[in-house]
Amino acid sequence: MPESGASRAQQERTDIPTAGSGPARPGATGTPPGKPAAAEAARRTGLLVTLVLGGLTAVPPLSMDMYLPALPAVTDSLHASAATVQLTLTACLTGLALGQVVVGPLSDRWGRRRPLLLGLIIYIVATAMCVFAPTTELLIGFRLLQGLAGAAAIVIARAVVRDMYDGVEMARFFSTLMLISGVAPIVAPLIGGQVLRFTDWRGIFAVLTVVGLALTLVVWKWLGETLPPQDRHTGGLGDALRSMRGLLADRVFTGYMIAGSLAFATLFSYVSASPFVVQEIYGASPQTFSLLFGINSVGLIIVGQINGKILVGRVSLDKALAFGLSVIVLAAAALLLMTSGVFGEVGLVPVAAGLFVLMSAMGLAMPNTNAQALMRTKHAAGSASALLGTSSFLIGAVASPLVGIAGEDTAVPMALVQLVCAVGAMACFLGLCRPWQRTS
């Protein structure tokens, strides 16, 4: 008989490692003594695998952020409204969400490498089709396909981390990944802004196609399989669905998942609205917008490194997460007060400062929610990673069109969506995770 959700959740709770536990050792998952596990062998490659995984986690920000400076130009080129063009971001985000539901369980059954390479190949084709999209509707469709395929990169990257690391080591590695993948939000708008100097928005997708080709070659050559055959699931769709149901039955896992997803929606509401807020409302150039976006990303990276290098191991992950969420709530509230005119007419500098604080605090929220959630399970890392990613991108996709609902002349919707999502994230963390009730 199939396991019930409760029994599956109970099994997951027995998989929770202690705070000082390290990565799985050879033989710990059924590997014969003396023969290194695939994950252990991959871990020993060190910096190279870190760079490859960082590149994979950079696929979503590259796909979205390089395109941001061109959003106003796309509205003119395709004769569409700002809200319609923002749907191209929503479509990519939706694809990234739905694709993870499929790819995550597949990677638990077939291993990490094959689904990843297939997804990257489809990503290349979809991105190349965006170059020639003649209408907004077709561009939205191609962006959806691009997101569906690109989902393989981010979901399998997280699963590979879970294959190789555990406990505090995993939290540290997620912060290290943030250092590498965090370069993408910095350079992507800068590259996009510079590409617009020489060509139109279609040239940005041509550059992304080349990036996809390069990443596929790197993965094919240097990223080995980290999930050995004896640790793979042999069941079909039903088994995958039961596994996901069991994960969702774990209240704490679900709490971290939703809290992280709402924090991501806070971030993505900024990603979606900032091109119009900075360029249309405050009159900045695409290059100025790219510079501000890069500065905010630097803040996120620095705080992420403080989390991984200083806080992890000294301060509990829950305390660091609670502080990060509190700062996000305060920054979002300040932005709402500024944009709604409570302090009178404010310029770009105060608003940019509020956005910098909000983005920087994500360096505490994002790695710690992922680490805490993934530590709840070892038997289905792909499925767990898929749920984390799907939830984040779906909620982000809902937030994206809401920020432009009042048109291009006000930043109030952006700030309001950010505040609602930030408060919701804190409420889920306190109401579902209840860190004060747990000792591990």
Side-chain angles (χ1 to χ4, degrees), residues 65-71 73 185-205 207 279 285-292:
D65 298 346
M66 192 182 296
Y67 173 63
L68 292 179
L71 284 179
I186 296 175
V187 302
L190 294 174
I191 294 173
Q194 295 306 312
V195 169
L196 291 176
R197 287 179 175 269
F198 303 100
T199 183
D200 60 8
W201 59 270
R202 299 179 189 275
I204 293 176
F205 288 109
V207 173
Q279 296 179 74
S285 67
Q287 288 71 38
T288 300
F289 162 73
S290 300
L291 177 63
L292 291 175

PDB file of all heavy atoms in Angstrom, residues 65-71 73 185-205 207 279 285-292:
ATOM      1  N   ASP A  65      17.324  39.330 -15.814  1.00  0.00           N
ATOM      2  CA  ASP A  65      17.913  40.623 -15.502  1.00  0.00           C
ATOM      3  C   ASP A  65      18.617  41.267 -16.696  1.00  0.00           C
ATOM      4  O   ASP A  65      18.653  42.495 -16.803  1.00  0.00           O
ATOM      5  CB  ASP A  65      18.912  40.478 -14.346  1.00  0.00           C
ATOM      6  CG  ASP A  65      18.229  40.004 -13.068  1.00  0.00           C
ATOM      7  OD1 ASP A  65      16.992  40.047 -13.030  1.00  0.00           O
ATOM      8  OD2 ASP A  65      18.923  39.592 -12.132  1.00  0.00           O
ATOM      9  N   MET A  66      19.204  40.458 -17.590  1.00  0.00           N
ATOM     10  CA  MET A  66      19.848  41.034 -18.761  1.00  0.00           C
ATOM     11  C   MET A  66      18.829  41.734 -19.660  1.00  0.00           C
ATOM     12  O   MET A  66      19.151  42.669 -20.393  1.00  0.00           O
ATOM     13  CB  MET A  66      20.589  39.943 -19.538  1.00  0.00           C
ATOM     14  CG  MET A  66      21.536  40.481 -20.603  1.00  0.00           C
ATOM     15  SD  MET A  66      22.358  39.182 -21.556  1.00  0.00           S
ATOM     16  CE  MET A  66      23.308  38.401 -20.263  1.00  0.00           C
ATOM     17  N   TYR A  67      17.589  41.306 -19.554  1.00  0.00           N
ATOM     18  CA  TYR A  67      16.501  41.786 -20.390  1.00  0.00           C
ATOM     19  C   TYR A  67      15.839  43.030 -19.802  1.00  0.00           C
ATOM     20  O   TYR A  67      15.139  43.776 -20.494  1.00  0.00           O
ATOM     21  CB  TYR A  67      15.514  40.625 -20.508  1.00  0.00           C
ATOM     22  CG  TYR A  67      14.201  40.865 -21.182  1.00  0.00           C
ATOM     23  CD1 TYR A  67      14.130  41.234 -22.517  1.00  0.00           C
ATOM     24  CD2 TYR A  67      13.009  40.660 -20.503  1.00  0.00           C
ATOM     25  CE1 TYR A  67      12.907  41.409 -23.149  1.00  0.00           C
ATOM     26  CE2 TYR A  67      11.784  40.819 -21.125  1.00  0.00           C
ATOM     27  CZ  TYR A  67      11.741  41.203 -22.449  1.00  0.00           C
ATOM     28  OH  TYR A  67      10.534  41.367 -23.067  1.00  0.00           O
ATOM     29  N   LEU A  68      16.097  43.305 -18.501  1.00  0.00           N
ATOM     30  CA  LEU A  68      15.374  44.370 -17.814  1.00  0.00           C
ATOM     31  C   LEU A  68      15.574  45.762 -18.428  1.00  0.00           C
ATOM     32  O   LEU A  68      14.593  46.502 -18.599  1.00  0.00           O
ATOM     33  CB  LEU A  68      15.765  44.395 -16.333  1.00  0.00           C
ATOM     34  CG  LEU A  68      15.316  43.185 -15.504  1.00  0.00           C
ATOM     35  CD1 LEU A  68      15.787  43.329 -14.070  1.00  0.00           C
ATOM     36  CD2 LEU A  68      13.803  43.024 -15.550  1.00  0.00           C
ATOM     37  N   PRO A  69      16.816  46.178 -18.755  1.00  0.00           N
ATOM     38  CA  PRO A  69      16.964  47.523 -19.324  1.00  0.00           C
ATOM     39  C   PRO A  69      16.226  47.716 -20.645  1.00  0.00           C
ATOM     40  O   PRO A  69      15.992  48.851 -21.065  1.00  0.00           O
ATOM     41  CB  PRO A  69      18.481  47.655 -19.531  1.00  0.00           C
ATOM     42  CG  PRO A  69      19.093  46.661 -18.612  1.00  0.00           C
ATOM     43  CD  PRO A  69      18.129  45.518 -18.569  1.00  0.00           C
ATOM     44  N   ALA A  70      15.861  46.598 -21.301  1.00  0.00           N
ATOM     45  CA  ALA A  70      15.210  46.689 -22.608  1.00  0.00           C
ATOM     46  C   ALA A  70      13.690  46.720 -22.518  1.00  0.00           C
ATOM     47  O   ALA A  70      13.023  46.906 -23.545  1.00  0.00           O
ATOM     48  CB  ALA A  70      15.633  45.500 -23.475  1.00  0.00           C
ATOM     49  N   LEU A  71      13.119  46.575 -21.325  1.00  0.00           N
ATOM     50  CA  LEU A  71      11.657  46.513 -21.215  1.00  0.00           C
ATOM     51  C   LEU A  71      10.968  47.740 -21.820  1.00  0.00           C
ATOM     52  O   LEU A  71      10.009  47.586 -22.589  1.00  0.00           O
ATOM     53  CB  LEU A  71      11.247  46.315 -19.755  1.00  0.00           C
ATOM     54  CG  LEU A  71      11.423  44.909 -19.180  1.00  0.00           C
ATOM     55  CD1 LEU A  71      11.005  44.889 -17.714  1.00  0.00           C
ATOM     56  CD2 LEU A  71      10.620  43.882 -19.958  1.00  0.00           C
ATOM     57  N   ALA A  73      12.035  49.606 -24.170  1.00  0.00           N
ATOM     58  CA  ALA A  73      12.242  49.538 -25.623  1.00  0.00           C
ATOM     59  C   ALA A  73      11.338  48.495 -26.268  1.00  0.00           C
ATOM     60  O   ALA A  73      10.857  48.680 -27.398  1.00  0.00           O
ATOM     61  CB  ALA A  73      13.702  49.228 -25.934  1.00  0.00           C
ATOM     62  N   PRO A 185      23.241  38.858 -11.372  1.00  0.00           N
ATOM     63  CA  PRO A 185      22.396  40.062 -11.343  1.00  0.00           C
ATOM     64  C   PRO A 185      23.170  41.350 -11.491  1.00  0.00           C
ATOM     65  O   PRO A 185      22.602  42.371 -11.875  1.00  0.00           O
ATOM     66  CB  PRO A 185      21.730  39.971  -9.953  1.00  0.00           C
ATOM     67  CG  PRO A 185      21.817  38.548  -9.572  1.00  0.00           C
ATOM     68  CD  PRO A 185      23.093  38.036 -10.161  1.00  0.00           C
ATOM     69  N   ILE A 186      24.475  41.324 -11.160  1.00  0.00           N
ATOM     70  CA  ILE A 186      25.270  42.536 -11.299  1.00  0.00           C
ATOM     71  C   ILE A 186      25.623  42.781 -12.757  1.00  0.00           C
ATOM     72  O   ILE A 186      25.411  43.867 -13.303  1.00  0.00           O
ATOM     73  CB  ILE A 186      26.561  42.436 -10.462  1.00  0.00           C
ATOM     74  CG1 ILE A 186      26.223  42.336  -8.979  1.00  0.00           C
ATOM     75  CG2 ILE A 186      27.461  43.641 -10.709  1.00  0.00           C
ATOM     76  CD1 ILE A 186      27.423  42.112  -8.096  1.00  0.00           C
ATOM     77  N   VAL A 187      26.175  41.739 -13.390  1.00  0.00           N
ATOM     78  CA  VAL A 187      26.676  41.933 -14.757  1.00  0.00           C
ATOM     79  C   VAL A 187      25.563  41.869 -15.792  1.00  0.00           C
ATOM     80  O   VAL A 187      25.687  42.467 -16.866  1.00  0.00           O
ATOM     81  CB  VAL A 187      27.770  40.887 -15.087  1.00  0.00           C
ATOM     82  CG1 VAL A 187      28.913  40.984 -14.115  1.00  0.00           C
ATOM     83  CG2 VAL A 187      27.211  39.471 -15.118  1.00  0.00           C
ATOM     84  N   ALA A 188      24.454  41.171 -15.483  1.00  0.00           N
ATOM     85  CA  ALA A 188      23.408  40.995 -16.493  1.00  0.00           C
ATOM     86  C   ALA A 188      22.804  42.322 -16.955  1.00  0.00           C
ATOM     87  O   ALA A 188      22.764  42.598 -18.161  1.00  0.00           O
ATOM     88  CB  ALA A 188      22.326  40.044 -15.974  1.00  0.00           C
ATOM     89  N   PRO A 189      22.316  43.184 -16.046  1.00  0.00           N
ATOM     90  CA  PRO A 189      21.782  44.466 -16.536  1.00  0.00           C
ATOM     91  C   PRO A 189      22.857  45.334 -17.179  1.00  0.00           C
ATOM     92  O   PRO A 189      22.572  46.086 -18.116  1.00  0.00           O
ATOM     93  CB  PRO A 189      21.220  45.122 -15.266  1.00  0.00           C
ATOM     94  CG  PRO A 189      21.045  44.023 -14.294  1.00  0.00           C
ATOM     95  CD  PRO A 189      22.131  43.039 -14.595  1.00  0.00           C
ATOM     96  N   LEU A 190      24.102  45.251 -16.653  1.00  0.00           N
ATOM     97  CA  LEU A 190      25.184  46.017 -17.250  1.00  0.00           C
ATOM     98  C   LEU A 190      25.437  45.566 -18.689  1.00  0.00           C
ATOM     99  O   LEU A 190      25.586  46.386 -19.596  1.00  0.00           O
ATOM    100  CB  LEU A 190      26.457  45.868 -16.422  1.00  0.00           C
ATOM    101  CG  LEU A 190      26.412  46.473 -15.015  1.00  0.00           C
ATOM    102  CD1 LEU A 190      27.681  46.124 -14.246  1.00  0.00           C
ATOM    103  CD2 LEU A 190      26.247  47.985 -15.081  1.00  0.00           C
ATOM    104  N   ILE A 191      25.467  44.234 -18.887  1.00  0.00           N
ATOM    105  CA  ILE A 191      25.647  43.706 -20.241  1.00  0.00           C
ATOM    106  C   ILE A 191      24.467  44.101 -21.123  1.00  0.00           C
ATOM    107  O   ILE A 191      24.626  44.521 -22.267  1.00  0.00           O
ATOM    108  CB  ILE A 191      25.807  42.176 -20.206  1.00  0.00           C
ATOM    109  CG1 ILE A 191      27.108  41.801 -19.495  1.00  0.00           C
ATOM    110  CG2 ILE A 191      25.811  41.605 -21.618  1.00  0.00           C
ATOM    111  CD1 ILE A 191      27.265  40.310 -19.270  1.00  0.00           C
ATOM    112  N   GLY A 192      23.243  43.952 -20.542  1.00  0.00           N
ATOM    113  CA  GLY A 192      22.057  44.328 -21.311  1.00  0.00           C
ATOM    114  C   GLY A 192      22.077  45.788 -21.723  1.00  0.00           C
ATOM    115  O   GLY A 192      21.752  46.139 -22.860  1.00  0.00           O
ATOM    116  N   GLY A 193      22.471  46.667 -20.779  1.00  0.00           N
ATOM    117  CA  GLY A 193      22.546  48.084 -21.111  1.00  0.00           C
ATOM    118  C   GLY A 193      23.562  48.386 -22.194  1.00  0.00           C
ATOM    119  O   GLY A 193      23.328  49.228 -23.070  1.00  0.00           O
ATOM    120  N   GLN A 194      24.704  47.682 -22.143  1.00  0.00           N
ATOM    121  CA  GLN A 194      25.735  47.905 -23.161  1.00  0.00           C
ATOM    122  C   GLN A 194      25.332  47.318 -24.507  1.00  0.00           C
ATOM    123  O   GLN A 194      25.620  47.900 -25.558  1.00  0.00           O
ATOM    124  CB  GLN A 194      27.063  47.299 -22.697  1.00  0.00           C
ATOM    125  CG  GLN A 194      27.654  47.968 -21.472  1.00  0.00           C
ATOM    126  CD  GLN A 194      27.800  49.471 -21.634  1.00  0.00           C
ATOM    127  OE1 GLN A 194      28.322  49.945 -22.650  1.00  0.00           O
ATOM    128  NE2 GLN A 194      27.328  50.227 -20.651  1.00  0.00           N
ATOM    129  N   VAL A 195      24.663  46.167 -24.493  1.00  0.00           N
ATOM    130  CA  VAL A 195      24.191  45.572 -25.745  1.00  0.00           C
ATOM    131  C   VAL A 195      23.235  46.520 -26.453  1.00  0.00           C
ATOM    132  O   VAL A 195      23.246  46.648 -27.689  1.00  0.00           O
ATOM    133  CB  VAL A 195      23.515  44.209 -25.485  1.00  0.00           C
ATOM    134  CG1 VAL A 195      22.792  43.714 -26.735  1.00  0.00           C
ATOM    135  CG2 VAL A 195      24.548  43.173 -25.040  1.00  0.00           C
ATOM    136  N   LEU A 196      22.404  47.232 -25.665  1.00  0.00           N
ATOM    137  CA  LEU A 196      21.447  48.176 -26.251  1.00  0.00           C
ATOM    138  C   LEU A 196      22.129  49.364 -26.918  1.00  0.00           C
ATOM    139  O   LEU A 196      21.502  50.090 -27.697  1.00  0.00           O
ATOM    140  CB  LEU A 196      20.477  48.665 -25.175  1.00  0.00           C
ATOM    141  CG  LEU A 196      19.486  47.626 -24.642  1.00  0.00           C
ATOM    142  CD1 LEU A 196      18.644  48.215 -23.520  1.00  0.00           C
ATOM    143  CD2 LEU A 196      18.591  47.103 -25.762  1.00  0.00           C
ATOM    144  N   ARG A 197      23.411  49.578 -26.627  1.00  0.00           N
ATOM    145  CA  ARG A 197      24.142  50.650 -27.292  1.00  0.00           C
ATOM    146  C   ARG A 197      24.437  50.298 -28.752  1.00  0.00           C
ATOM    147  O   ARG A 197      24.621  51.184 -29.588  1.00  0.00           O
ATOM    148  CB  ARG A 197      25.460  50.930 -26.573  1.00  0.00           C
ATOM    149  CG  ARG A 197      25.320  51.647 -25.234  1.00  0.00           C
ATOM    150  CD  ARG A 197      26.688  51.848 -24.608  1.00  0.00           C
ATOM    151  NE  ARG A 197      26.606  52.629 -23.384  1.00  0.00           N
ATOM    152  CZ  ARG A 197      26.715  53.950 -23.311  1.00  0.00           C
ATOM    153  NH1 ARG A 197      26.883  54.645 -24.430  1.00  0.00           N
ATOM    154  NH2 ARG A 197      26.649  54.576 -22.161  1.00  0.00           N
ATOM    155  N   PHE A 198      24.514  49.000 -29.040  1.00  0.00           N
ATOM    156  CA  PHE A 198      24.945  48.557 -30.368  1.00  0.00           C
ATOM    157  C   PHE A 198      23.828  47.872 -31.169  1.00  0.00           C
ATOM    158  O   PHE A 198      23.921  47.753 -32.383  1.00  0.00           O
ATOM    159  CB  PHE A 198      26.125  47.584 -30.233  1.00  0.00           C
ATOM    160  CG  PHE A 198      27.288  48.171 -29.488  1.00  0.00           C
ATOM    161  CD1 PHE A 198      27.491  47.869 -28.153  1.00  0.00           C
ATOM    162  CD2 PHE A 198      28.162  49.048 -30.106  1.00  0.00           C
ATOM    163  CE1 PHE A 198      28.562  48.405 -27.455  1.00  0.00           C
ATOM    164  CE2 PHE A 198      29.236  49.591 -29.416  1.00  0.00           C
ATOM    165  CZ  PHE A 198      29.436  49.275 -28.085  1.00  0.00           C
ATOM    166  N   THR A 199      22.814  47.408 -30.477  1.00  0.00           N
ATOM    167  CA  THR A 199      21.721  46.719 -31.173  1.00  0.00           C
ATOM    168  C   THR A 199      20.440  46.932 -30.381  1.00  0.00           C
ATOM    169  O   THR A 199      20.418  47.686 -29.410  1.00  0.00           O
ATOM    170  CB  THR A 199      22.044  45.218 -31.314  1.00  0.00           C
ATOM    171  OG1 THR A 199      20.992  44.580 -32.058  1.00  0.00           O
ATOM    172  CG2 THR A 199      22.182  44.548 -29.954  1.00  0.00           C
ATOM    173  N   ASP A 200      19.370  46.245 -30.788  1.00  0.00           N
ATOM    174  CA  ASP A 200      18.122  46.403 -30.058  1.00  0.00           C
ATOM    175  C   ASP A 200      17.965  45.260 -29.057  1.00  0.00           C
ATOM    176  O   ASP A 200      18.895  44.496 -28.811  1.00  0.00           O
ATOM    177  CB  ASP A 200      16.932  46.470 -31.024  1.00  0.00           C
ATOM    178  CG  ASP A 200      16.799  45.206 -31.867  1.00  0.00           C
ATOM    179  OD1 ASP A 200      17.537  44.217 -31.605  1.00  0.00           O
ATOM    180  OD2 ASP A 200      15.976  45.186 -32.802  1.00  0.00           O
ATOM    181  N   TRP A 201      16.757  45.136 -28.495  1.00  0.00           N
ATOM    182  CA  TRP A 201      16.528  44.151 -27.446  1.00  0.00           C
ATOM    183  C   TRP A 201      16.724  42.726 -27.936  1.00  0.00           C
ATOM    184  O   TRP A 201      17.022  41.826 -27.144  1.00  0.00           O
ATOM    185  CB  TRP A 201      15.125  44.319 -26.885  1.00  0.00           C
ATOM    186  CG  TRP A 201      14.005  44.161 -27.889  1.00  0.00           C
ATOM    187  CD1 TRP A 201      13.454  45.144 -28.642  1.00  0.00           C
ATOM    188  CD2 TRP A 201      13.322  42.956 -28.243  1.00  0.00           C
ATOM    189  NE1 TRP A 201      12.459  44.632 -29.448  1.00  0.00           N
ATOM    190  CE2 TRP A 201      12.350  43.289 -29.213  1.00  0.00           C
ATOM    191  CE3 TRP A 201      13.411  41.636 -27.823  1.00  0.00           C
ATOM    192  CZ2 TRP A 201      11.508  42.344 -29.783  1.00  0.00           C
ATOM    193  CZ3 TRP A 201      12.571  40.680 -28.381  1.00  0.00           C
ATOM    194  CH2 TRP A 201      11.628  41.040 -29.349  1.00  0.00           C
ATOM    195  N   ARG A 202      16.588  42.473 -29.223  1.00  0.00           N
ATOM    196  CA  ARG A 202      16.767  41.112 -29.735  1.00  0.00           C
ATOM    197  C   ARG A 202      18.220  40.638 -29.572  1.00  0.00           C
ATOM    198  O   ARG A 202      18.475  39.437 -29.415  1.00  0.00           O
ATOM    199  CB  ARG A 202      16.355  41.056 -31.213  1.00  0.00           C
ATOM    200  CG  ARG A 202      14.890  41.413 -31.436  1.00  0.00           C
ATOM    201  CD  ARG A 202      14.512  41.381 -32.903  1.00  0.00           C
ATOM    202  NE  ARG A 202      13.175  41.920 -33.118  1.00  0.00           N
ATOM    203  CZ  ARG A 202      12.057  41.203 -33.007  1.00  0.00           C
ATOM    204  NH1 ARG A 202      12.138  39.918 -32.708  1.00  0.00           N
ATOM    205  NH2 ARG A 202      10.868  41.759 -33.208  1.00  0.00           N
ATOM    206  N   GLY A 203      19.139  41.577 -29.611  1.00  0.00           N
ATOM    207  CA  GLY A 203      20.539  41.214 -29.413  1.00  0.00           C
ATOM    208  C   GLY A 203      20.799  40.644 -28.035  1.00  0.00           C
ATOM    209  O   GLY A 203      21.734  39.834 -27.852  1.00  0.00           O
ATOM    210  N   ILE A 204      19.989  41.030 -27.064  1.00  0.00           N
ATOM    211  CA  ILE A 204      20.154  40.490 -25.706  1.00  0.00           C
ATOM    212  C   ILE A 204      19.879  38.990 -25.700  1.00  0.00           C
ATOM    213  O   ILE A 204      20.601  38.204 -25.059  1.00  0.00           O
ATOM    214  CB  ILE A 204      19.227  41.237 -24.733  1.00  0.00           C
ATOM    215  CG1 ILE A 204      19.690  42.689 -24.597  1.00  0.00           C
ATOM    216  CG2 ILE A 204      19.185  40.539 -23.372  1.00  0.00           C
ATOM    217  CD1 ILE A 204      18.805  43.554 -23.738  1.00  0.00           C
ATOM    218  N   PHE A 205      18.854  38.558 -26.421  1.00  0.00           N
ATOM    219  CA  PHE A 205      18.556  37.122 -26.477  1.00  0.00           C
ATOM    220  C   PHE A 205      19.613  36.370 -27.281  1.00  0.00           C
ATOM    221  O   PHE A 205      19.877  35.191 -27.018  1.00  0.00           O
ATOM    222  CB  PHE A 205      17.161  36.897 -27.068  1.00  0.00           C
ATOM    223  CG  PHE A 205      16.053  37.292 -26.133  1.00  0.00           C
ATOM    224  CD1 PHE A 205      15.285  38.413 -26.372  1.00  0.00           C
ATOM    225  CD2 PHE A 205      15.790  36.535 -25.005  1.00  0.00           C
ATOM    226  CE1 PHE A 205      14.270  38.791 -25.506  1.00  0.00           C
ATOM    227  CE2 PHE A 205      14.780  36.895 -24.127  1.00  0.00           C
ATOM    228  CZ  PHE A 205      14.022  38.023 -24.372  1.00  0.00           C
ATOM    229  N   VAL A 207      22.803  37.099 -27.147  1.00  0.00           N
ATOM    230  CA  VAL A 207      23.866  36.904 -26.160  1.00  0.00           C
ATOM    231  C   VAL A 207      23.501  35.764 -25.208  1.00  0.00           C
ATOM    232  O   VAL A 207      24.343  34.927 -24.856  1.00  0.00           O
ATOM    233  CB  VAL A 207      24.123  38.206 -25.386  1.00  0.00           C
ATOM    234  CG1 VAL A 207      25.099  37.969 -24.238  1.00  0.00           C
ATOM    235  CG2 VAL A 207      24.655  39.285 -26.321  1.00  0.00           C
ATOM    236  N   GLN A 279      13.643  54.300 -14.451  1.00  0.00           N
ATOM    237  CA  GLN A 279      13.823  54.988 -15.728  1.00  0.00           C
ATOM    238  C   GLN A 279      12.649  55.890 -16.093  1.00  0.00           C
ATOM    239  O   GLN A 279      12.848  57.001 -16.591  1.00  0.00           O
ATOM    240  CB  GLN A 279      14.044  53.947 -16.842  1.00  0.00           C
ATOM    241  CG  GLN A 279      15.324  53.133 -16.662  1.00  0.00           C
ATOM    242  CD  GLN A 279      15.505  52.091 -17.758  1.00  0.00           C
ATOM    243  OE1 GLN A 279      15.829  52.415 -18.893  1.00  0.00           O
ATOM    244  NE2 GLN A 279      15.283  50.832 -17.410  1.00  0.00           N
ATOM    245  N   SER A 285      18.774  56.912 -16.881  1.00  0.00           N
ATOM    246  CA  SER A 285      19.102  56.227 -18.131  1.00  0.00           C
ATOM    247  C   SER A 285      19.201  54.720 -17.901  1.00  0.00           C
ATOM    248  O   SER A 285      19.330  54.275 -16.757  1.00  0.00           O
ATOM    249  CB  SER A 285      20.446  56.732 -18.663  1.00  0.00           C
ATOM    250  OG  SER A 285      21.504  56.330 -17.794  1.00  0.00           O
ATOM    251  N   PRO A 286      19.147  53.901 -18.978  1.00  0.00           N
ATOM    252  CA  PRO A 286      19.353  52.460 -18.805  1.00  0.00           C
ATOM    253  C   PRO A 286      20.682  52.132 -18.133  1.00  0.00           C
ATOM    254  O   PRO A 286      20.768  51.176 -17.353  1.00  0.00           O
ATOM    255  CB  PRO A 286      19.307  51.921 -20.242  1.00  0.00           C
ATOM    256  CG  PRO A 286      18.480  52.908 -20.987  1.00  0.00           C
ATOM    257  CD  PRO A 286      18.799  54.236 -20.371  1.00  0.00           C
ATOM    258  N   GLN A 287      21.721  52.910 -18.396  1.00  0.00           N
ATOM    259  CA  GLN A 287      23.019  52.643 -17.788  1.00  0.00           C
ATOM    260  C   GLN A 287      22.991  52.950 -16.282  1.00  0.00           C
ATOM    261  O   GLN A 287      23.567  52.209 -15.483  1.00  0.00           O
ATOM    262  CB  GLN A 287      24.101  53.480 -18.482  1.00  0.00           C
ATOM    263  CG  GLN A 287      24.442  53.004 -19.888  1.00  0.00           C
ATOM    264  CD  GLN A 287      23.329  53.280 -20.894  1.00  0.00           C
ATOM    265  OE1 GLN A 287      22.673  54.332 -20.823  1.00  0.00           O
ATOM    266  NE2 GLN A 287      23.100  52.367 -21.825  1.00  0.00           N
ATOM    267  N   THR A 288      22.292  54.038 -15.890  1.00  0.00           N
ATOM    268  CA  THR A 288      22.156  54.354 -14.466  1.00  0.00           C
ATOM    269  C   THR A 288      21.359  53.274 -13.753  1.00  0.00           C
ATOM    270  O   THR A 288      21.712  52.853 -12.638  1.00  0.00           O
ATOM    271  CB  THR A 288      21.473  55.720 -14.275  1.00  0.00           C
ATOM    272  OG1 THR A 288      22.260  56.731 -14.890  1.00  0.00           O
ATOM    273  CG2 THR A 288      21.308  56.039 -12.800  1.00  0.00           C
ATOM    274  N   PHE A 289      20.280  52.831 -14.396  1.00  0.00           N
ATOM    275  CA  PHE A 289      19.515  51.736 -13.810  1.00  0.00           C
ATOM    276  C   PHE A 289      20.380  50.501 -13.611  1.00  0.00           C
ATOM    277  O   PHE A 289      20.350  49.863 -12.558  1.00  0.00           O
ATOM    278  CB  PHE A 289      18.324  51.381 -14.713  1.00  0.00           C
ATOM    279  CG  PHE A 289      17.748  50.024 -14.420  1.00  0.00           C
ATOM    280  CD1 PHE A 289      17.004  49.800 -13.277  1.00  0.00           C
ATOM    281  CD2 PHE A 289      17.992  48.953 -15.282  1.00  0.00           C
ATOM    282  CE1 PHE A 289      16.496  48.536 -12.996  1.00  0.00           C
ATOM    283  CE2 PHE A 289      17.493  47.700 -15.018  1.00  0.00           C
ATOM    284  CZ  PHE A 289      16.736  47.484 -13.865  1.00  0.00           C
ATOM    285  N   SER A 290      21.180  50.156 -14.620  1.00  0.00           N
ATOM    286  CA  SER A 290      22.038  48.982 -14.522  1.00  0.00           C
ATOM    287  C   SER A 290      23.033  49.132 -13.376  1.00  0.00           C
ATOM    288  O   SER A 290      23.319  48.172 -12.657  1.00  0.00           O
ATOM    289  CB  SER A 290      22.787  48.764 -15.848  1.00  0.00           C
ATOM    290  OG  SER A 290      21.879  48.557 -16.908  1.00  0.00           O
ATOM    291  N   LEU A 291      23.562  50.345 -13.191  1.00  0.00           N
ATOM    292  CA  LEU A 291      24.508  50.586 -12.108  1.00  0.00           C
ATOM    293  C   LEU A 291      23.844  50.404 -10.749  1.00  0.00           C
ATOM    294  O   LEU A 291      24.400  49.747  -9.851  1.00  0.00           O
ATOM    295  CB  LEU A 291      25.091  51.996 -12.235  1.00  0.00           C
ATOM    296  CG  LEU A 291      26.052  52.435 -11.122  1.00  0.00           C
ATOM    297  CD1 LEU A 291      27.283  51.547 -11.109  1.00  0.00           C
ATOM    298  CD2 LEU A 291      26.445  53.900 -11.302  1.00  0.00           C
ATOM    299  N   LEU A 292      22.665  50.975 -10.572  1.00  0.00           N
ATOM    300  CA  LEU A 292      21.945  50.829  -9.303  1.00  0.00           C
ATOM    301  C   LEU A 292      21.587  49.373  -9.037  1.00  0.00           C
ATOM    302  O   LEU A 292      21.698  48.889  -7.901  1.00  0.00           O
ATOM    303  CB  LEU A 292      20.673  51.690  -9.317  1.00  0.00           C
ATOM    304  CG  LEU A 292      20.883  53.208  -9.295  1.00  0.00           C
ATOM    305  CD1 LEU A 292      19.540  53.919  -9.427  1.00  0.00           C
ATOM    306  CD2 LEU A 292      21.592  53.627  -8.015  1.00  0.00           C
TER     307      LEU A 292
END
